[in-house]
Amino acid sequence: MKKLRVGVLASGRGSNLQAIIDRSLRGDIDVELAVVLSDVADAEALERARAAGVSAVHIPPGRFKTKLEPEIEARYVEELERHGVEVIALAGFMRILHDEFLERYAGRIVNIHPSLLPSFPGLRAQKQAFEYGAKWSGATVHFVDAGVDTGPIILQAAVPVRDDDTPDTLAARILEEEHRIYPEALQLLAEGRIRVEGRRVLIDPPSGPRKGGERP
Ligand code: GRF
């Protein structure tokens, strides 16, 4: 099958990126890491990409703390286009993307979030779930829309919150599931098995091998 060219945007540690790299290098998923872009010069994500022989580009963030200026966003588009990216995977990317960018890549930007959305969107979701007293939390892969963690849900995995947990032990248990379901969601996209109907994301059953990796 023709590989899906994925561009990852990451600001930090890059463990989800690593999970995608590992599974694509093992040939478990039909994904080719086309490029990794980061707003943080010394992000571990960039190092992980380079270590795996993946193009890694730092794009200086500009003047704002979470927003990106239009000229900076244009640089992201430039790099994504230059590397022939078909799907953008946000993996701990700490910047807000604007409408123009979201519209350009509508239906082609996904994110991983460390809670069972719609519970606990936003920052420190694991701590939010822990402090709320939730008995279950988990991880969600979703399409990105203009809201904060509000786009249609592709895959979720639940994890129990144990009595002896701390926010850190809970986060570690959730992270294991993130590393499992993010590559899995990208594989579903690579196989063209994902259909969005309103807010619902429907997953078609696997079909026989497609000719030339065609996607609906
Ligand atoms: C993950 O917990 C992810 O769910 C959230 O940001 C964190 C990124 O971690 N969006 P890493 O950089 O992939 O290790």
Side-chain angles (χ1 to χ4, degrees):
M1 188 192 295
K2 182 182 161 286
K3 295 203 170 176
L4 180 71
R5 290 185 68 78
V6 172
V8 171
L9 271 52
S11 301
R13 174 178 66 173
S15 72
N16 277 288
L17 165 68
Q18 190 68 55
I20 297 165
I21 289 176
D22 292 346
R23 294 208 51 195
S24 63
L25 289 181
R26 280 208 305 265
D28 295 349
I29 54 174
D30 299 300
V31 162
E32 169 110 44
L33 255 299
V35 67
V36 174
L37 305 176
S38 182
D39 54 324
V40 177
D42 60 355
E44 211 181 325
L46 289 175
E47 287 166 35
R48 290 180 191 265
R50 289 183 189 118
V54 174
S55 302
V57 183
H58 169 234
I59 300 178
R63 288 174 292 152
F64 304 119
K65 210 163 171 228
T66 53
K67 283 200 298 182
L68 289 172
E69 292 152 68
E71 314 81 71
I72 310 269
E73 227 167 56
R75 287 223 45 215
Y76 280 83
V77 172
E78 200 181 298
E79 291 294 343
L80 293 165
E81 298 299 311
R82 196 159 71 84
H83 289 89
V85 167
E86 296 168 283
V87 163
I88 299 166
L90 308 184
F93 186 62
M94 302 305 285
R95 300 267 162 185
I96 293 164
L97 297 163
H98 295 100
D99 290 353
E100 209 186 306
F101 187 96
L102 297 177
E103 275 156 27
R104 173 187 281 266
Y105 296 106
R108 296 197 287 139
I109 314 180
V110 294
N111 182 43
I112 178 94
H113 182 77
S115 77
L116 287 179
L117 291 171
S119 292
F120 312 119
L123 294 174
R124 289 179 288 280
Q126 306 95 327
K127 191 158 181 264
Q128 289 186 53
F130 178 87
E131 286 176 352
Y132 192 88
K135 295 294 184 192
W136 288 87
S137 192
T140 303
V141 182
H142 63 93
F143 284 109
V144 174
D145 65 11
V148 176
D149 304 321
T150 51
I153 292 169
I154 303 172
L155 287 180
Q156 292 188 302
V159 308
V161 182
R162 298 192 181 131
D163 287 355
D164 61 354
D165 264 334
T166 64
D168 286 348
T169 59
L170 177 60
R173 192 173 314 115
I174 291 172
L175 195 61
E176 279 180 34
E177 293 302 310
E178 294 183 39
H179 295 167
R180 187 174 65 76
I181 66 171
Y182 212 1
E184 197 178 317
L186 293 175
Q187 178 62 14
L188 291 173
L189 286 164
E191 291 177 18
R193 288 171 54 197
I194 288 185
R195 260 182 309 135
V196 184
E197 286 187 3
R199 279 217 52 92
R200 301 188 70 215
V201 175
L202 308 179
I203 298 174
D204 292 330
S207 59
R210 284 174 196 277
K211 274 186 268 135
E214 71 189 69
R215 284 181 199 104

